[in-house]
Amino acid sequence: MSAPTNTHHPVVAKLSTLDRLLPLWIGVAMIAGLLLGRMVPGLGEALSAVELDGISLPIAIGLLVMMYPVLAKVRYDRLDTVTGDRKLLLASLFLNWIMGPALMFALAWLLLPDLPEYRTGLIIVGLARCIAMVIIWNDLACGDREAGAVLVAVNSVFQVLMFAVLGWFYLSVLPGWLGLEQTTIDTSVWQIAKSVLIFLGIPLVAGYLTRRFGEKVKGRQWYEGTFLPRIGPWALYGLLFTIVILFALQGNQIVSRPWDVARIALPLLAYFAIMWGGGFILGAAIGLGYERTTTVAFTAAGNNFELAIAVAIATYGATSGQALAGVVGPLIEVPVLVALVYVSLALRGRFTDHVPAVIEGKQ
């Protein structure tokens, strides 16, 4: 990295009003969801009446709407440049599947030794690597979209293969070796595969087909200059809608147990800061450049709370402490990672890799 330059100052200014004020909109969405959940009797039951793979249908719709526009922006003809980058792939695998679960295990036992339900819930969160919202954070921070798509796909494959195995290891085997309390997790490979196929597979296929046929019929210039700007804001609309519904469903638990929420929040804050900071430092140290460093950092810091909540509910029940720990996850993750988007943009000028061209192409 080079000495700081002035090239990063216009970055935030070039964001749309919706993007620039995203922390405000997210705060409003959280408050709106909490108020709706508290003020509208029976709303939670109504929203949960129809589910898709154990997730409330409104939340599932919000996630799909959120992910589709970003995946439609990916230039799939450039993915080979990502898959050939061994440093990128190895760094992501190390952060997501070695450092991430181990760090959450350590923080959960260190900070919640007297709260086994919350501790178990956090360990489950640490095993569920992000395949959804990370795409939004990466895009807002002007990360590498193609790299983001590949790393999310890699995480999805590893999630199907390793989630149950790592759950058994971190909840039963490792605590036994250390003389700590042991527990179990009840989930199947098919349950995890369904979550991946629905929440990543559907928008990924839709985004790929949209780009392929859109460019074929109207050309790349029309597709990227006219079509993408029209659908782009829907990613954030989907995000805000998802946050409102999520907090409407879980608002009673969050509001009724504020001290528990605070206890759960502490290891989560440490986890997000360490994972994002470690990913950013590692990416910069091995010379990935700004865009891919950013992508590595956000894919390392994000978690698949939808999967973690679904597994916790299926194993321990909807009112369990394990489920509450999963619910508190996005309460902490969303504002923290939004803040880290701005930290990332502020650090952008320290990189020498074609900053002006990236700014022009990403906004």
Side-chain angles (χ1 to χ4, degrees), residues 260-280:
D260 290 354
V261 170
R263 288 287 305 271
I264 297 168
L266 187 58
L268 283 170
L269 284 169
Y271 173 84
F272 294 133
I274 294 170
M275 289 300 295
W276 187 89
F280 207 89

Side-chain angles (χ1 to χ4, degrees), residues 207-224 227:
Y208 171 77
L209 293 177
T210 301
R211 177 172 279 277
R212 181 172 181 181
F213 290 108
E215 289 188 355
K216 184 176 181 180
V217 174
K218 302 286 284 188
R220 175 164 288 188
Q221 183 174 355
W222 173 87
Y223 183 83
E224 296 193 342
F227 178 73

Side-chain angles (χ1 to χ4, degrees), residues 170-242:
Y170 280 104
L171 293 174
S172 182
V173 176
L174 184 57
W177 290 350
L178 300 175
L180 303 171
E181 181 182 350
Q182 297 170 281
T183 184
T184 59
I185 186 172
D186 180 20
T187 188
S188 68
V189 171
W190 173 236
Q191 179 184 2
I192 300 163
K194 281 195 302 178
S195 176
V196 170
L197 288 172
I198 292 170
F199 297 114
L200 176 63
I202 292 175
L204 182 62
V205 170
Y208 171 77
L209 293 177
T210 301
R211 177 172 279 277
R212 181 172 181 181
F213 290 108
E215 289 188 355
K216 184 176 181 180
V217 174
K218 302 286 284 188
R220 175 164 288 188
Q221 183 174 355
W222 173 87
Y223 183 83
E224 296 193 342
T226 302
F227 178 73
L228 289 183
R230 288 178 182 172
I231 67 168
W234 282 93
L236 296 184
Y237 299 154
L239 172 65
L240 296 174
F241 174 80
T242 301

Side-chain angles (χ1 to χ4, degrees), residues 140-160:
L140 288 172
C142 300
D144 188 318
R145 288 185 187 126
E146 289 69 40
V150 169
L151 296 186
V152 163
V154 170
N155 274 347
S156 300
V157 173
F158 269 79
Q159 200 149 242
V160 172

